[in-house]
Amino acid sequence: MKMMLFILLYGMGNYFAEDNAVRHPFHVSNTEINYNAVDKNLEISCKIFTDDFESALEKTYKQKADFSNKSMESQMEKLVKQYMKDHLAIHVDKKQMLLTYIGYEVDREAVNIYLESPYLNLPKTVIVQNTLNYEVYDDQISIIHVIVDGKRNTKKITFPARLETFNF
């Protein structure tokens, strides 16, 4: 019985430890790009583990990043906006999209980031360049979903790759 209690407590301690690799051994982000035909708009959302994202922001910009600190919200908005500009690019039908940063929200252990870009025509080819968290993890995987005209196409970009092409 003592051994079972030890194993349970040890496992819980590892789960709540500060070591990121122990908390989630996979370094994954998720990006969804949805073409809204009614609004003629690309709607983009990215989900990144909070601790991984804070590490990437700190390493990139050499300053403290803390999504749980309310007094840092303004600073975090600036950091997230700049980071997304530097690490996510989308080309549609050979034209680079100007991504407008909408904002972010923290959802438990992840940060959701929202962007958009106007696009008038139904996209035929979407090229995604994604280097989220590449400065901190050499095993980073980015799952990319592109939805056009109700058709969902999913691919992954694995470090060190940076690009993936979606055809509709």
Side-chain angles (χ1 to χ4, degrees), residues 46-122:
C46 298
K47 181 175 255 182
I48 307 170
F49 282 113
T50 305
D51 56 338
D52 293 349
F53 197 25
E54 287 173 344
S55 295
L57 292 170
E58 288 176 0
K59 186 164 187 179
T60 301
Y61 301 113
K62 310 290 188 250
Q63 55 185 291
K64 178 79 174 140
D66 185 351
F67 285 102
S68 65
N69 187 338
K70 295 291 183 200
S71 68
M72 292 182 66
E73 282 182 8
S74 176
Q75 176 183 340
M76 295 306 295
E77 282 286 347
K78 291 175 188 171
L79 291 177
V80 172
K81 181 178 181 178
Q82 185 62 48
Y83 188 85
M84 296 309 292
K85 181 180 177 186
D86 295 341
H87 294 273
L88 182 68
I90 300 171
H91 293 78
V92 178
D93 301 329
K94 299 182 182 178
K95 179 182 176 191
Q96 183 167 353
M97 299 290 94
L98 177 62
L99 303 179
T100 302
Y101 173 77
I102 305 299
Y104 76 86
E105 64 182 352
V106 178
D107 180 20
R108 296 184 190 168
E109 68 277 346
V111 177
N112 297 312
I113 303 107
Y114 304 102
L115 307 121
E116 67 181 5
S117 182
Y119 193 74
L120 299 177
N121 302 316
L122 197 65

Side-chain angles (χ1 to χ4, degrees), residues 135-151:
E135 57 275 288
V136 286
Y137 301 111
D138 63 2
D139 62 347
Q140 180 68 35
I141 298 170
S142 298
I143 307 296
I144 313 292
H145 309 279
V146 180
I147 304 159
V148 174
D149 200 25
K151 296 177 185 98

